[in-house]
Amino acid sequence: MSAATVASPPGRPSLAGDSLTLTYRALAHWRRDPGPLAGALAFNILIVLMFAYLFGGALQVPGGGSYREFLMPGMFAMTMLFGISQTTMAVSADAERGVTDRLRSMPVSRLAPLLGRALADMLFAVVTLAVMLLAGLAVGWRAHGGPGDTLAALGLILLLRLALTWVGIYLGLVTKGAGAVTAVQTLEFPLGFLSSAFVAPSTMPAWLGAVAEWNPLSATVGATRELFGNPGWGGEGWVAAHHPLLAVLWPLALVAVFVPLSLRRYRALGG
Amino acid sequence: MEHAIIAEGLRKRYGDTAALDGFDLRVPPGTVCGLLGPNGAGKTTAVRILATLLRFDAGRAEVAGFDVARQADRVRYRIGLVGQRPALDEALSGRENLVILGRLFHLGRSQARARAGELLERFGLADAGGAPVRTYSGGMRRRLDLAAGMIRTPSVLFLDEPTTALDPRGRNEVWESVRDLVRAGTTVLLTTQYLDEADQLADRICVLDAGRVIAEGTPDALKSRLGGDRIDLVVRDARDLATAAERLRRVATAEPVVDPDRRAVSAQVDDRAGALTAVLRALDADGVTVADVALRRPTLDEVFLRLTGRPTERVDATVEVPA
Ligand SMILES: Nc1ncnc2c1ncn2[C@@H]1O[C@H](COP(=O)(O)OP(=O)(O)O)[C@@H](O)[C@H]1O
Ligand SMILES: [Mg+2]
């Protein structure tokens, strides 16, 4: 039996191969246990409906225009933000269950568990975004730009998710159990609500408005509103004029910081 | 390769705690070494260092002929690690767990599948292989975890408290699996707080206390080196316990231990038969009725008490420091 299998010379650790195996593992997980993902999608749809029908009537778009058109780009970015919890929980659960240790005791490429996770979460982000686009179309949102603009907007949204994935991986590596939940919520709420996703920063107190303007989420939201041809909150300053640039720079900066941080942290698990 | 595992003067500190404080170990290939010690003795730290998971402050370690610090990847192809708690994907089936691990050991797709099938068969999980792990019993999980540690037929297998939190049946299942592995030539380093477990499985036992090995030998050698035989007496009437202890003290080589709950007294003696006859005769003359009497070898609990001056603490698995 095993003689043949096991005596064969060992394959080599391969970053791509190991990462794909670990991505496959995450997908197998979801196939077996789709509940949490379905829950996350349902939650996102619920928020869209809530804002579109419940609060939407009371909220005004500064430059005029449909609130739902204004809302949806914010919702797309928000769902990318909410995706962080899934990343952080998965990374933290693996560490806690001893799976991370088992992988570290195996000849698996060091970056692979993190890369495998990121890839799996990006695949789910694509699914999430597709569902959100349908939800948006259902409540009357439309992309008015050309196909190129629309694709660019979708690309920016996924780029934001990629950056947030690495933030989530890092949080998962530095926290444990309930701490992971707290860490993610502490990040998600200010980042989500102190942005231009739902309301115009100009309607906030000045200093909050400035924070909201500079928020990476606002950059993506602002840029995608322009690309989709949806109403924005206007705004005069440098930030408002450079949304597309910031929507690229912010995520790249986050990736540049959190990929090395995560890797360092993963290596440091060896105390 | 003369030794499958070598540790020399390993030291590892956590702040003020010396988890390992000059840890030495040599394990010949194909044998089982039992690392025995109470909670906090440093067992998990030793295993994690040897399994390349943890850096250490001083010393040297070799596993399967390779340096743990400098040749970690070579070591990793040759070891299996079964941690204190099963490291499994609860949502996935037993088979999926093994196939994925096989792929991560760089077996080809069909090889990984074949190996998963073999291991499920061997660990008595063939029928349950398709079911999610969360439906498994504790013993089944442990066996699957063992199988996961065996994907590449490791030359050295580390088992960190493999039967903690298992019922006697699960424990027996795991013991049987470990014996199978050893028959196939694997070297096993097994940590345990259960003295009977080390006694059952290990060729040699190392007693670990506060990060260093304080005694080493075969189970039998340890027992005979650390005190001769013991007499256990149980009296019918609790009021006779003091008399029994006094009579036993006269023939004993160490202070008798009294257990009022069991109405028992126990002491170590040199001259087995002579001591037994003398003490029974004296108690008969005192009019003390002896309900039960036994002449036996010391247990490893008693060995530990002798070595450290402290009893072993048997701590519940649920309050352990996470690995
Ligand atoms: N990550 C850690 N941080 C701080 N102290 C630790 C850590 N791991 C272990 N220790 C300490 O090191 C000692 C040995 O621990 P451990 O190796 O887990 O013992 P055992 O496995 O024998 O119960 C204990 O005092 C424990 O509290
Ligand atoms: Mg331990």
Side-chain angles (χ1 to χ4, degrees):
Chain A
M1 52 138 223
S2 47
T5 1
V6 173
S8 63
R12 303 189 138 268
S14 120
L15 179 56
D18 292 348
S19 302
L20 286 176
T21 304
L22 287 158
T23 299
Y24 168 80
R25 169 180 170 250
L27 299 184
H29 237 265
W30 291 336
R31 199 186 58 221
R32 284 279 189 168
D33 196 8
L37 290 199
L41 290 178
F43 177 75
N44 289 336
I45 293 175
L46 197 72
I47 301 261
V48 171
L49 296 179
M50 216 165 73
F51 274 89
Y53 293 104
L54 214 59
F55 308 147
L59 297 168
Q60 295 290 319
V61 182
S66 147
Y67 180 72
R68 289 177 197 168
E69 293 253 297
F70 170 83
L71 170 72
M72 283 317 292
M75 288 305 313
F76 297 147
M78 278 299 267
T79 53
M80 297 300 112
L81 177 63
F82 287 143
I84 283 197
S85 356
Q86 171 196 321
T87 306
T88 302
M89 301 307 158
V91 172
S92 145
D94 273 356
E96 212 145 320
R97 316 220 66 230
V99 173
T100 303
D101 273 349
R102 170 158 275 152
L103 294 179
R104 290 178 58 242
S105 80
M106 292 170 60
V108 172
S109 173
R110 275 309 186 232
L111 188 54
L114 309 185
L115 217 52
R117 179 82 250 156
L119 189 55
D121 286 352
M122 287 309 291
L123 289 176
F124 184 62
V126 171
V127 174
T128 308
L129 186 54
V131 169
M132 288 301 289
L133 289 170
L134 291 178
L137 292 172
V139 301
W141 166 85
R142 294 290 179 271
H144 306 286
D149 287 347
T150 303
L151 279 180
L154 297 180
L156 287 181
I157 294 168
L158 291 174
L159 182 66
L160 178 71
R161 176 67 173 103
L162 180 69
L164 293 173
T165 298
W166 284 98
V167 176
I169 286 175
Y170 180 71
L171 286 180
L173 289 172
V174 295
T175 55
K176 270 188 189 160
V181 184
T182 315
V184 169
Q185 286 175 347
T186 321
L187 182 81
E188 275 177 355
F189 282 89
L191 207 60
F193 291 100
L194 269 184
S195 74
S196 64
F198 302 115
V199 283
S202 55
T203 63
M204 301 176 186
W207 68 273
L208 269 186
V211 172
E213 252 196 306
W214 277 99
N215 184 334
L217 208 73
S218 302
T220 304
V221 173
T224 50
R225 277 184 185 135
E226 288 168 27
L227 289 164
F228 284 136
N230 295 144
W233 50 265
E236 312 265 297
W238 186 89
V239 178
H242 292 86
H243 276 151
L245 177 71
L246 286 171
V248 173
L249 287 187
W250 256 126
L252 291 184
L254 289 173
V255 167
V257 170
F258 281 95
V259 172
L261 270 185
S262 302
L263 243 186
R264 220 179 72 178
R265 179 68 200 174
Y266 191 83
R267 292 223 166 91
L269 291 176
Chain B
M1 187 174 52
E2 206 177 332
H3 290 99
I5 304 174
I6 300 175
E8 281 173 1
L10 288 184
R11 281 172 206 283
K12 174 74 186 177
R13 298 193 70 83
Y14 290 107
D16 286 341
T17 316
L20 287 187
D21 189 16
F23 175 79
D24 294 307
L25 187 71
R26 269 165 200 272
V27 183
T31 66
V32 181
C33 174
L35 204 52
L36 174 68
N39 219 8
K43 303 182 296 296
T44 297
T45 305
V47 164
R48 287 171 59 80
I49 286 176
L50 294 170
T52 77
L53 292 182
L54 196 60
R55 277 188 279 272
F56 44 96
D57 305 330
R60 188 180 80 87
E62 256 180 38
V63 169
F66 295 100
D67 188 282
V68 166
R70 285 180 292 111
Q71 297 168 300
D73 261 331
R74 300 228 173 156
V75 171
R76 289 184 188 125
Y77 269 114
R78 290 162 177 84
I79 60 171
L81 170 66
V82 181
Q84 229 163 299
R85 287 158 309 156
L88 300 165
D89 270 317
E90 295 276 314
L92 303 188
S93 70
R95 188 179 304 275
E96 285 170 312
N97 267 281
L98 295 180
V99 169
I100 287 171
L101 290 171
R103 297 288 287 148
L104 291 172
F105 268 115
H106 310 116
L107 300 179
R109 215 180 293 274
S110 56
Q111 272 185 323
R113 263 200 293 271
R115 185 66 178 146
E118 283 167 15
L119 287 168
L120 288 172
E121 192 75 40
R122 171 153 157 208
F123 286 88
L125 293 167
D127 291 339
V133 170
R134 74 162 80 84
T135 63
Y136 286 20
S137 71
M140 289 163 76
R141 266 168 228 242
R142 267 295 169 192
R143 277 182 286 146
L144 182 63
D145 210 37
L146 273 176
M150 290 298 298
I151 304 248
R152 243 186 196 283
T153 313
S155 47
V156 178
L157 180 65
F158 298 102
L159 302 174
D160 195 4
E161 302 199 20
T163 64
T164 299
L166 284 190
D167 58 16
R169 184 191 150 146
R171 182 177 293 197
N172 271 318
E173 291 173 355
V174 170
W175 286 356
E176 266 321 300
S177 305
V178 173
R179 291 193 183 104
D180 277 352
L181 301 184
V182 176
R183 270 195 284 277
T186 297
T187 309
V188 176
L189 179 66
L190 161 116
T191 81
T192 182
Q193 299 187 47
Y194 299 113
L195 307 156
D196 52 331
E197 183 159 271
D199 205 359
Q200 285 273 341
L201 292 177
D203 299 302
R204 290 182 79 76
I205 295 178
C206 291
V207 184
L208 193 62
D209 183 43
R212 52 168 66 223
V213 174
I214 54 169
E216 203 205 326
T218 64
D220 282 342
L222 261 189
K223 286 187 213 170
S224 51
R225 193 175 105 220
L226 291 159
D229 297 319
R230 301 188 68 103
I231 292 176
D232 287 352
L233 285 176
V234 179
V235 294
R236 179 147 299 153
D237 189 336
R239 283 168 299 183
D240 292 333
L241 209 47
T243 318
E246 178 50 36
R247 290 298 180 198
L248 201 49
R249 183 176 291 119
R250 293 197 189 160
V251 297
T253 53
E255 187 63 14
V257 180
V258 179
D259 179 349
D261 292 339
R262 288 177 45 239
R263 298 192 312 279
V265 53
S266 165
Q268 187 183 314
V269 296
D270 267 347
D271 169 19
R272 304 161 43 105
L276 186 62
T277 324
V279 79
L280 287 180
R281 219 178 258 147
L283 286 175
D284 192 37
D286 294 337
V288 172
T289 314
V290 175
D292 198 4
V293 59
L295 187 61
R296 61 170 177 83
R297 315 273 279 155
T299 66
L300 287 170
D301 274 313
E302 288 152 353
V303 166
F304 198 87
L305 179 64
R306 258 204 65 130
L307 286 170
T308 63
R310 298 179 279 114
T312 53
E313 305 147 48
R314 296 221 177 176
V315 183
D316 273 343
T318 46
V319 296
E320 263 157 30
V321 186

